[in-house]
């Protein structure tokens, strides 16, 4: 179980003076199903940017425990997966993780501003199927990646990255903005006050 509150003050020479309070809570549930010598596990780890009250009206712990248990039992009785080239169906949750790792980091100014991304100079270019649209939205209420302000004091926002297969934007912090000649997008994050900020995703 994780429960934390981060209190942030950002003061900069360009006139920013803002404070923010960032509560987070998360619970990690794991179930084990056994059949003789074989054991399989199931997992669920819901969390959000709210306090402990989330377990009253947002996160149903019992429901997530059942999800973990059902996963473990399903895995225990599942047949071996065949080898070969097969169609793959990706659900919405894990599809977001795949986009985050495969494409999202390459759309951050940390990569684009230094010319280290396959998406450099591709704004307005078709880079994917017409069916692909992608948004990074830091304004979703209470979600794990949501922010009131980023770590340079820029308000969080909804950033359209890909629309119908066409690249529309990047995720840009202040240094990336200067390097790229493009406006900031509320995408700055820093590990702590001793670290320089960098560009990162919010909710993808």
């Amino acid at each position: 179980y994780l429960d934390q509150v981060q209190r942030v003050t950002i003061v900069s020479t360009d006139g920013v003076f803002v404070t923010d309070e960032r509560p987070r809570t998360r619970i990690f549930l794991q179930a084990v199903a056994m059949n003789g010598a074989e054991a399989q596990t199931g997992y669920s780890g819901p969390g959000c940017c709210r306090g402990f009250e989330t377990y009253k009206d947002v996160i149903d712990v019992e429901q997530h425990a059942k999800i973990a248990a059902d996963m473990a039992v399903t895995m225990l009785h599942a047949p071996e997966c065949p080898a070969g080239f097969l169609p793959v169906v990706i659900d919405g949750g894990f599809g977001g993780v795949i986009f985050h790792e495969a494409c999202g980091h390459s759309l951050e100014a940390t990569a684009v501003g230094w010319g280290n991304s396959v998406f450099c100079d591709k704004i307005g270019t078709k880079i994917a199927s017409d069916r692909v649209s992608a948004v990074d939205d830091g304004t979703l209420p209470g979600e794990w990646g949501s922010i009131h302000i980023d770590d340079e004091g820029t308000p969080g926002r909804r950033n359209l990255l890909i629309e119908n297969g066409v690249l529309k934007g990047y995720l840009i912090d202040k240094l990336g903005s200067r390097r790229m000649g493009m406006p900031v997008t509320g995408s700055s994050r820093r590990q702590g006050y001793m670290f320089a900020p960098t560009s990162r995703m919010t909710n993808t």
Side-chain angles (χ1 to χ4, degrees), residues 13-180:
T13 55
D14 56 2
V16 173
F17 192 134
V18 292
T19 61
D20 195 17
E21 184 171 278
R22 302 170 178 175
R24 275 189 164 193
T25 186
R26 190 169 188 180
I27 190 163
F28 304 88
L29 301 151
Q30 186 176 40
V32 179
M34 299 186 69
N35 181 9
E38 183 183 358
Q40 294 287 347
T41 61
Y43 165 82
S44 184
C48 61
C49 290
R50 295 182 173 93
F52 192 78
E53 72 279 0
T54 193
Y55 298 105
K56 180 179 179 182
D57 53 15
V58 179
I59 295 175
D60 185 334
V61 176
E62 184 175 348
Q63 177 193 7
H64 282 278
K66 289 177 180 176
I67 289 170
D70 287 345
M71 186 184 299
V73 171
T74 299
M75 293 294 292
L76 187 67
H77 298 295
E80 290 292 324
C81 183
F85 293 94
L86 303 166
V88 175
V89 178
I90 302 171
D91 71 8
F94 196 72
V97 175
I98 290 177
F99 174 82
H100 176 105
E101 299 299 346
C103 301
H105 286 302
S106 295
L107 293 171
E108 294 165 346
T110 304
V112 179
W114 290 89
N116 295 329
S117 170
V118 296
F119 299 119
C120 290
D121 301 317
K122 296 279 181 72
I123 295 289
T125 303
K126 190 167 178 58
I127 60 168
S129 162
D130 291 343
R131 298 180 182 184
V132 176
S133 292
V135 170
D136 180 81
D137 192 347
T139 68
L140 300 172
E143 293 300 324
W144 192 252
S146 293
I147 56 173
H148 298 114
I149 55 170
D150 72 4
D151 286 340
E152 292 177 316
T154 305
R157 57 180 267 191
R158 182 183 189 274
N159 293 298
L160 178 63
L161 303 175
I162 301 169
E163 184 177 38
N164 301 325
V166 176
L167 183 63
K168 294 291 187 176
Y170 301 118
L171 299 169
I172 306 172
D173 61 332
K174 287 185 178 180
L175 177 60
S177 173
R178 292 196 295 271
R179 291 186 64 86
M180 298 163 63

